[in-house]
Structure formats: C-alpha cells, structure tokens
Amino acid sequence: FDMLHRVLTYLAILVLLVGTSMIVALVLSSGLQRAITGPLDAMARVARQVVDQRDYSLRARRTTDDEIGVVVEAFNRMLDEVQSRTRALEQSNAALQAEVRVRETAQRSLARANARLESTMAAAEIGSWVWDLGADEVTVDRNVAALFGSDDETSLGDDPALRRRLIYPYPTPAVAAAS
C-alpha cells in the first residue's frame, strides 16, 4: 500500500492548499488595506500636515463611494468649515489689532493733552473737580488741593463738611435737595 507515498502526497496537497490560502489571504488583505486603511491613513496624513503647517487648503483624496468615501468627504467638508472660520477669525483679529493701535494712539494723545492741561492749570493756579451729586462723591485734582492748602487731593473728597465749606459754601440746601 505504499504508505510513504500517500503521506507525501497528502503533505504536498496540504502545502499547496496552505500556500494557495496564504496567497489569497495576502491578496485580500492588500485589497482591504487599500480600500479601508489607505483612505484613513491619507486622512491622518492630511490632518498632521494641517496641524503642522496650519494650511487648511489641504484635502484627503476620495477614492471610493462607500462608507469610507463618505467619511473622507465629511473630513474634507470639516476642513472647509475650519478654513472659512479661520479666515474669519484672522480678519477679525486684524481688525481688532488695528482698533487697538488706534486706541493706543488716542490714549497717548489724551495723556499728552492731560499733562499739558495740568501744567497750564498749575501755572495759572486754577484747579478742577467733579462732584457726583447722586453719590455725593467729589474728585479733585492736585491743584485744587494745593489751593486749599492740602498735599493730598483725597482729603477734600473724603470730608463732606470740608468740601461743602471750601468748594461750594453757599446754596448747600439747594444742592442737597437736588441730589
């Protein structure tokens, strides 16, 4: 019955069957890898490039019309939205920076004008104050304090009796009634 020949034949058939199965599995896995993993890897590469380069015009290539193609298309639409919002934010940021520059220039001009006004008022020996009647708060400048013999401009604002006597001594009942 030539047992050795039979065993070798069965082994050859087994090797041929396993080899053929391996080749078929390799072909199928390559196809699946191209169909599934390839587009996902492409999206991952595009996402990395977008993050690294801040270039939102990059897109992943859609290769199929199945679920993976839908995912790639959704990813590309998301990049479109991010790109448009990034542009809007950059334009808004540029406008805000321009506004900040204008405000800083205006603040510097105002500070210079205030310094000139204070020196002019000091040279003319005049002062200014603001009296909030509703809150009964007075804010005086240093010239007013100096005119009334004080080194501290808060002393006139903190003492209601003193400021009524020094700053506005006569119709205080009418002022009190108005506040």
Side-chain angles (χ1 to χ4, degrees):
F1 289 110
D2 197 18
M3 195 64 138
L4 180 62
H5 180 56
R6 278 182 148 181
V7 170
L8 289 176
T9 304
Y10 286 138
L11 281 175
I13 292 172
L14 180 65
V15 167
L16 184 64
L17 188 61
V18 168
T20 305
S21 299
M22 293 296 278
I23 291 171
V24 168
L26 180 65
V27 169
L28 286 176
S29 70
S30 295
L32 285 174
Q33 199 266 334
R34 271 194 314 273
I36 295 173
T37 309
L40 295 177
D41 285 343
M43 283 190 334
R45 276 192 304 278
V46 168
R48 269 189 243 104
Q49 287 175 333
V50 166
V51 168
D52 292 343
Q53 300 169 8
R54 312 279 287 154
D55 181 5
Y56 297 102
S57 65
L58 300 171
R59 298 293 179 267
R61 192 168 64 88
R62 183 176 180 175
T63 56
T64 62
D65 291 330
D66 59 359
E67 292 85 4
I68 299 297
V70 170
V71 169
V72 170
E73 186 63 30
F75 175 76
N76 288 336
R77 285 187 190 153
M78 179 194 64
L79 285 176
D80 289 337
E81 183 69 21
V82 168
Q83 183 179 19
S84 71
R85 289 182 186 219
T86 299
R87 277 193 202 123
L89 285 173
E90 287 170 347
Q91 289 170 351
S92 176
N93 191 26
L96 287 173
Q97 287 175 346
E99 186 176 327
V100 164
R101 285 190 296 274
V102 167
R103 286 182 183 220
E104 287 173 344
T105 301
Q107 285 176 341
R108 284 192 299 273
S109 296
L110 180 61
R112 283 193 301 270
N114 280 339
R116 283 193 306 270
L117 178 63
E118 284 182 16
S119 66
T120 302
M121 290 174 73
E125 295 184 352
I126 58 175
S128 68
W129 72 89
V130 177
W131 190 349
D132 181 352
L133 294 175
D136 197 27
E137 294 177 354
V138 174
T139 305
V140 301
D141 66 5
R142 63 178 166 224
N143 294 336
V144 169
L147 287 171
F148 289 107
S150 176
D151 292 334
D152 182 19
E153 56 248 29
T154 60
S155 65
L156 291 175
D158 291 342
D159 186 356
L162 177 63
R163 73 172 174 249
R164 287 185 192 274
R165 186 170 43 84
L166 294 176
I167 296 176
Y168 205 79
Y170 31 100
T172 52
V175 171
S179 61

